Amino acid sequence: MLSMILAAVAPLAALGAAIGAGIAAVGAGIGIGNIGSSAMEAIARQPESAGDIRSNMIVIAALIEGVALFAVIVSALALFL
């Protein structure tokens, strides 16, 4: 009986994992876009601090990518476990 229930739920798990990975990718794209636009605006206002702004932007973008990768891995684990 349990195997029948798990067989019926498997397609929904795949759909949930795909939606979760998609939401993580879209969220990361939006976050990095916002960071990029804010950094370009800040550099336009204060060109002398472009190096500091750029380095901070890269660190924050890497953190966002790490969170998105973590979310995709969790979605993949939910699919296979």
Side-chain angles (χ1 to χ4, degrees), residues 40-66:
M40 291 300 112
E41 182 178 338
I43 290 172
R45 289 176 186 240
Q46 291 184 335
E48 65 275 1
S49 63
D52 294 336
I53 294 169
R54 188 178 303 119
S55 63
N56 288 335
M57 179 187 73
I58 290 171
V59 168
I60 294 171
L63 291 173
I64 289 175
E65 284 293 327

Side-chain angles (χ1 to χ4, degrees), residues 23-33 64-65 68:
I23 290 172
V26 168
I30 291 171
I32 291 174
I64 289 175
E65 284 293 327

Side-chain angles (χ1 to χ4, degrees), residues 3-49:
S3 64
M4 290 175 28
I5 293 172
L6 290 176
V9 174
L12 292 177
L15 180 64
I19 290 173
I23 290 172
V26 168
I30 291 171
I32 291 174
N34 285 340
I35 290 169
S37 68
S38 297
M40 291 300 112
E41 182 178 338
I43 290 172
R45 289 176 186 240
Q46 291 184 335
E48 65 275 1
S49 63

